[in-house]
């Protein structure tokens, strides 16, 4: 077995928390049951990883199998990476049946025709997610396995989720291979980024709970019944205001859990508005500034702003439109004041 | 406070379990209601005939008819028939409600007697009918359908979209039923795509044997239908002749019956 492969497997196993190593090796399925039994999972990770490498040596693992283990790790710990969403466009209207083998073949062929030194690995998951791992090299160097790019694609959708490696120069090539393999013509980056891949999927696949008024033949049962306090001396002064805020919040944010986003960026290119007599700025040019909201769970915290009394309800549509417009990067300009979009093909 | 919140959650959980029970009772009622609908139709036909007879013999006996309806009667009648119309549409799976900005449509899907997911659309009315937001999955060609039918033909737009959604929901439901009831006869997990319109799996004839000699490939060319258009059931080239015959018979069954129905209908080996 190649030394570099051995080292790569060793380092990948070291990344895994000790309690998860056994489960992940089972998912990997490269080591047999008998081999897994021989491993002692209670020793320090260094030793565990050495033993795993030895077992892989017995099975003559190569980089392909090691790459699959890496995908499995990143699939479970996808929150450790930053994901961007890309949207593809096609002009033809034929119904596709999406043949997976065809997709993989076209993708590999396109990529390899441009760059000989790449490692391409696929793994399909039950929810129709196709994970693609690409390790990039140059004409003179072997692929760097420690800085791969990951692509997640759901068949028959126009969305691709990419966690690019630091080597941004390979991105156009990756995009082109995706277009060819999936039969689309155009791809652009959406202004939507997060660590939580599932939340990004929820937003673009419209899987999060939105509030739609629906026709109900039977009268709706009461929602949000606050337990009445027995003591009649305690009266809620702002009851109607609280109810109004609750109602607005439900209309805007819905009932269920919201997708997890960590930040929203607003790049302002608006004029500084001051008293004309005071003339703060010499030149009449836009005052550039960047407003960034961060939170472990941005949408939940926005939802709780009004009930907590920190903001007036309804909140600014600039904040509440985030899931519906599927973006968390905004550029606010003077005249229109709203969000410009540009579609550029690579 | 935290406790108030917990109490509220408890209330909600209790309410939801009560609702679930009620739902089951409602489903029992459905069968009874269908019977009743038939009775009412008969009654309606009888009344129609009666009315025709009266109209034909109407010249003679005006005195025998009821007094002219008052405006209030007419209004009540209009309200009742509107409510009935709304309820009727709700039963077809497409229902609507005016919202603050426009109108919200709910498209419910079903397969056989099972009620499946509901999807929503909010449309704006001015200056033209267009989609404001929706909860339609991305692999349904919503953009193409809306370009073809909106803003002129709302009815066809909803009808075609509903067919696509029902087709998808039906195919997905069949696959879930197959995995739930016949997982012992299938090797691993069937290979599918997001739209569930291309399915491949290997299966065996009985749950006990561990081999899966037959391979099925189902292609659903019509996205609005939940039965496949192209079916290929194959076996290894060195397989016995009776297996090849079985494959052909199964192929027919897959074309005619839903997935789990076909498996149920297989003659036992």
């Amino acid at each position: 077995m190649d030394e570099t492969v051995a080292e790569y497997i060793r380092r990948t196993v070291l990344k895994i928390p000790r309690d998860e190593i056994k489960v992940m090796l089972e998912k990997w399925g490269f080591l047999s049951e008998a081999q897994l039994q021989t491993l002692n999972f209670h020793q320090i990770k260094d030793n565990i990883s050495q033993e795993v490498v030895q077992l892989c040596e017995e099975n003559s693992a190569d980089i392909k199998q090691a790459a699959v283990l890496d995908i499995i790790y990143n699939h479970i710990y996808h929150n450790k990476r930053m994901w961007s969403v890309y949207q593809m466009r096609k002009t033809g209207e034929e119904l596709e049946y999406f043949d997976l083998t065809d997709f993989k073949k076209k993708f590999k062929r396109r990529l390899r025709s441009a760059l000989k030194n790449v490692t391409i690995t696929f793994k399909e998951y039950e929810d129709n997610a196709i994970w693609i791992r690409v390790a990039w090299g140059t004409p003179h160097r072997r692929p760097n396995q420690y800085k791969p790019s990951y692509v997640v694609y759901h068949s028959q959708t126009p969305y691709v989720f990419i966690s690019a490696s630091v080597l941004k120069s390979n991105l156009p090539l990756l995009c082109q291979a995706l277009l060819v393999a999936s039969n689309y013509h155009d791809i652009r980056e959406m202004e939507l980024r997060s660590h939580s891949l599932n939340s990004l999927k929820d937003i673009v696949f419209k899987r999060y709970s939105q509030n739609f008024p629906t026709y109900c033949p039977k009268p709706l049962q009461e929602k949000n019944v606050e337990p009445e306090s027995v003591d009649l001396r305690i009266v809620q002064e702002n009851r109607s205001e609280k109810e109004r805020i609750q109602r607005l919040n439900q209309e805007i944010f819905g009932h269920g859990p919201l997708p997890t986003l960590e930040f929203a960026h607003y790049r302002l290119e608006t004029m500084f508005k001051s008293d004309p007599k005071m003339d703060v700025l010499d030149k009449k040019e836009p005052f550039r500034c960047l407003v960034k909201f961060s939170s472990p769970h941005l949408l939940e915290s926005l939802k709780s702003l009004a009930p907590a009394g920190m903001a007036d309800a309804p909140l600014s549509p600039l904040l509440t439109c985030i899931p519906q417009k599927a973006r968390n990067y905004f550029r606010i300009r003077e005249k229109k004041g709203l969000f410009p979009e540009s579609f550029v093909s690579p | 406070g935290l406790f108030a919140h917990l109490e509220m959650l408890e209330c909600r959980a209790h309410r939801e379990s009560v609702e679930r029970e009620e739902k089951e009772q409602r489903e029992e009622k459905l069968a009874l209601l269908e019977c009743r609908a038939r009775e009412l139709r008969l009654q309606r036909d009888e009344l129609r005939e009666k009315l025709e007879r009266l109209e034909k013999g109407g010249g003679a006996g005006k005195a025998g008819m009821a007094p002219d309806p008052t405006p209030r009667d007419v209004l009540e009648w209009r309200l009742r028939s509107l409510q009935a119309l709304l309820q009727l549409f709700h039963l077809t799976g497409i229902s609507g409600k005016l919202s603050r900005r426009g109108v919200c449509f709910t498209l419910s899907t079903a397969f056989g007697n099972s009620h499946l997911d509901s999807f929503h659309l909010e449309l704006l009315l001015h200056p033209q009918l267009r989609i404001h937001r929706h909860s339609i999955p991305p692999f349904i060609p919503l953009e193409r359908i809306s370009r073809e039918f909106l803003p002129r033909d709302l009815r066809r737009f909803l009808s075609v979209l509903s067919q696509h959604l029902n087709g998808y929901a039906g195919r997905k439901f069949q696959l879930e039923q197959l995995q739930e009831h016949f997982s012992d006869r299938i090797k691993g997990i069937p290979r599918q795509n997001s739209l569930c319109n291309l399915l491949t799996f290997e299966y065996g004839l009985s749950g006990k044997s561990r081999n899966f000699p037959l391979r099925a490939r189902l292609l659903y060319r019509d996205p609005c239908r939940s039965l496949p258009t192209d079916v290929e059931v194959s076996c290894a080239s060195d397989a016995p002749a009776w297996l090849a015959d079985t494959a052909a018979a199964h192929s027919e069954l897959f074309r005619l019956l839903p997935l789990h129905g076909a498996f149920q209908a297989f003659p036992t080996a």
Side-chain angles (χ1 to χ4, degrees):
Chain A
M1 187 167 78
D2 200 325
E3 255 182 40
T4 52
V5 174
E7 179 61 15
Y8 185 67
I9 295 179
R10 190 186 74 85
R11 292 227 205 151
T12 309
V13 174
L14 272 180
K15 278 198 290 194
I16 310 173
R18 194 166 61 166
D19 300 330
E20 303 290 319
I21 297 183
K22 179 156 194 260
V23 175
M24 235 180 268
L25 290 177
E26 282 169 354
K27 279 206 176 95
W28 190 30
F30 178 65
L31 300 174
S32 68
E33 284 262 352
Q35 284 175 313
L36 286 176
Q37 299 279 11
T38 66
L39 284 170
N40 173 11
F41 293 103
H42 298 294
Q43 48 186 339
I44 57 169
K45 278 210 292 193
D46 256 336
N47 295 350
I48 303 181
S49 59
Q50 293 284 14
E51 286 186 17
V52 171
V53 169
Q54 268 177 334
L55 289 175
C56 292
E57 178 92 50
E58 283 172 26
N59 293 9
S60 323
D62 66 9
I63 192 59
K64 287 203 197 53
Q65 278 99 10
V68 172
L69 182 61
D70 184 46
I71 291 187
I72 295 175
Y73 172 79
N74 278 286
H75 177 252
I76 298 179
Y77 294 101
H78 59 81
N79 285 343
K80 291 197 188 285
R81 305 187 71 93
M82 176 67 87
W83 297 88
S84 311
V85 191
Y86 288 71
Q87 186 177 20
M88 299 191 283
R89 221 170 41 159
K90 65 158 83 177
T91 49
E93 299 295 8
E94 343 79 47
L95 179 70
E96 2 156 8
Y97 306 104
F98 192 76
D99 195 333
L100 183 63
T101 350
D102 199 39
F103 174 85
K104 294 203 270 201
K105 207 165 45 166
K106 284 191 188 156
F107 183 85
K108 280 197 281 216
R109 193 164 40 175
R110 187 71 181 85
L111 213 52
R112 290 226 168 94
S113 69
L115 198 58
K116 291 279 184 301
N117 276 330
V118 276
T119 313
I120 307 173
T121 323
F122 297 91
K123 184 152 171 60
E124 300 89 55
Y125 282 90
E126 246 181 70
D127 58 347
N128 290 311
I130 304 166
W131 275 65
I132 315 175
R133 175 188 180 278
V134 184
W136 307 92
T138 68
H140 311 290
R141 269 207 317 256
R142 281 169 52 176
N144 180 350
Q145 302 297 338
Y146 295 92
K147 292 203 165 85
S149 306
Y150 299 90
V151 177
V152 179
Y153 177 57
H154 283 247
S155 56
Q156 296 162 317
T157 66
Y159 299 105
V160 189
F161 306 89
I162 302 185
S163 177
S165 62
V166 184
L167 313 162
K168 287 253 160 71
S169 53
N170 292 313
L171 204 54
L173 193 54
L174 186 61
C175 291
Q176 265 187 6
L178 281 166
L179 288 175
V180 164
S182 58
N183 253 316
Y184 282 82
H185 295 169
D186 241 304
I187 184 168
R188 70 161 183 134
E189 186 173 358
M190 293 173 70
E191 304 287 344
L192 183 63
R193 279 167 218 122
S194 174
H195 283 277
S196 167
L197 178 62
N198 287 332
S199 294
L200 291 176
K201 287 190 195 181
D202 285 344
I203 292 178
V204 293
F205 293 167
K206 310 259 178 226
R207 299 195 297 212
Y208 64 99
S209 67
Q210 305 175 60
N211 205 33
F212 286 96
T214 51
Y215 167 78
C216 245
K218 296 200 176 74
L220 278 175
Q221 286 165 320
E222 261 189 53
K223 297 195 190 294
N224 290 320
V225 175
E226 301 275 344
E228 298 283 341
S229 56
V230 186
D231 194 337
L232 291 172
R233 291 174 297 176
I234 301 177
V235 170
Q236 289 235 350
E237 278 301 316
N238 295 344
R239 182 187 289 272
S240 61
E241 177 63 12
K242 274 197 174 169
E243 283 172 3
R244 182 189 79 96
I245 291 178
Q246 274 282 24
R247 198 176 24 94
L248 278 174
N249 246 18
Q250 296 244 336
E251 250 183 55
I252 296 171
F253 290 103
H255 297 276
L258 291 163
T260 313
L261 293 172
E262 299 96 39
F263 47 79
H265 275 225
Y266 297 86
R267 191 171 287 281
L268 300 176
E269 292 166 6
T270 48
M271 303 296 283
F272 187 78
K273 291 190 170 63
S274 70
D275 193 339
K277 288 186 225 123
M278 273 171 49
D279 215 14
V280 176
L281 288 177
D282 288 337
K283 303 177 236 170
K284 287 287 171 215
E285 63 175 30
F287 188 78
R288 288 165 212 279
C289 83
L290 177 67
V291 179
K292 179 175 172 181
F293 292 87
S294 338
S295 163
H297 197 321
L298 182 72
L299 294 175
E300 272 299 329
S301 51
L302 289 177
K303 183 175 176 181
S304 46
L305 276 180
M310 291 194 213
D312 290 330
L315 287 178
S316 157
L318 282 170
L319 292 168
T320 56
C321 70
I322 291 175
Q324 194 213 317
K325 287 219 184 303
R327 59 188 300 169
N328 57 354
Y329 283 73
F330 297 89
R331 201 180 288 149
I332 305 177
R333 295 216 186 97
E334 186 60 58
K335 281 178 217 144
K336 298 152 208 166
L338 290 173
F339 328 112
E341 280 196 276
S342 58
F343 215 108
V344 179
S345 31
Chain B
L2 184 62
F3 281 116
H5 191 71
L6 285 171
E7 272 186 56
M8 185 183 77
L9 287 174
E10 201 178 14
C11 283
R12 198 193 291 175
H14 173 73
R15 261 204 315 274
E16 280 173 3
S17 68
V18 165
E19 279 172 34
R20 222 174 299 138
E21 262 185 53
E22 289 180 15
K23 179 175 175 226
E24 285 170 41
Q25 286 173 359
R26 278 200 296 266
E27 281 164 359
E28 283 178 21
K29 261 178 130 184
L30 183 65
L32 289 168
L33 286 173
E34 281 173 355
C35 219
R36 178 97 178 100
R38 251 173 280 145
E39 285 176 27
L40 286 171
R41 262 182 231 127
L42 276 174
Q43 227 183 348
R44 174 199 68 190
D45 291 337
E46 281 175 18
L47 285 171
R48 263 200 197 139
E49 287 175 31
K50 214 175 173 186
L51 187 63
E52 277 177 34
R53 264 182 283 131
L54 275 178
E55 279 177 352
K56 282 187 194 140
K62 264 263 172 85
M65 302 204 72
D68 286 332
T70 66
R72 191 197 159 82
D73 286 340
V74 173
L75 188 63
E76 281 181 4
W77 175 82
R78 277 215 179 120
L79 274 174
R80 272 200 309 267
S81 53
L82 257 180
Q83 268 174 341
L85 203 63
L86 276 175
Q87 239 179 316
L88 185 71
F89 275 113
H90 178 73
L91 289 170
T92 61
I94 305 180
S95 62
K97 187 170 181 175
L98 286 178
S99 71
R100 208 164 18 106
R101 282 179 282 239
V103 58
C104 272
F105 286 101
T106 301
L107 301 167
S108 311
T109 56
F111 185 81
N113 291 331
S114 305
H115 211 281
L116 303 171
D117 293 323
S118 293
F119 302 94
H120 307 269
L121 282 162
E122 185 171 8
L123 301 180
L124 298 174
L125 302 167
H126 308 292
Q128 263 185 350
L129 213 54
R130 64 188 194 281
I131 302 177
H132 178 62
R133 58 188 181 121
H134 64 85
S135 67
I136 314 269
F139 38 80
I140 303 279
L142 177 64
E143 221 172 293
R144 173 160 55 92
I145 301 173
S146 65
R147 242 178 307 152
E148 199 176 331
F149 297 108
L150 289 182
R152 312 161 289 116
D153 200 342
L154 176 64
R155 194 184 268 188
R156 275 194 76 196
F157 165 72
L158 288 173
S159 163
V160 170
L161 184 59
S162 173
Q163 282 171 14
H164 270 86
L165 288 168
N166 269 291
Y168 158 68
R171 295 191 294 268
K172 188 168 95 144
F173 177 72
Q174 286 174 60
L175 190 59
E176 287 168 358
Q177 289 294 297
L178 182 70
Q179 288 181 274
E180 199 179 305
H181 298 292
F182 299 100
S183 56
D184 54 345
R185 290 209 228 164
I186 304 179
K187 178 178 183 191
I189 296 168
R191 221 203 246 166
Q192 43 154 316
N193 54 21
S194 300
L195 258 178
C196 294
N197 63 356
L198 176 60
L199 210 59
T200 41
F201 54 90
E202 289 171 36
Y203 67 103
L205 294 164
S206 74
K208 285 157 254 159
S209 69
R210 289 265 92 210
N211 67 330
F212 307 99
L214 292 165
R215 188 164 187 280
R217 182 176 184 270
L218 281 72
L219 181 62
Y220 301 74
R221 268 187 216 281
D222 187 347
C224 304
R225 287 187 62 212
S226 45
L227 284 177
T229 51
D230 300 17
V231 178
E232 264 174 48
V233 181
S234 56
C235 50
S237 44
D238 57 349
W242 64 267
L243 194 61
D245 291 336
T246 317
H250 285 191
S251 182
E252 267 311 295
L253 283 175
F254 281 131
R255 229 182 290 267
L256 297 169
L257 296 172
L259 265 179
H260 49 293
F263 263 76
Q264 235 161 12
F266 287 163
T268 43

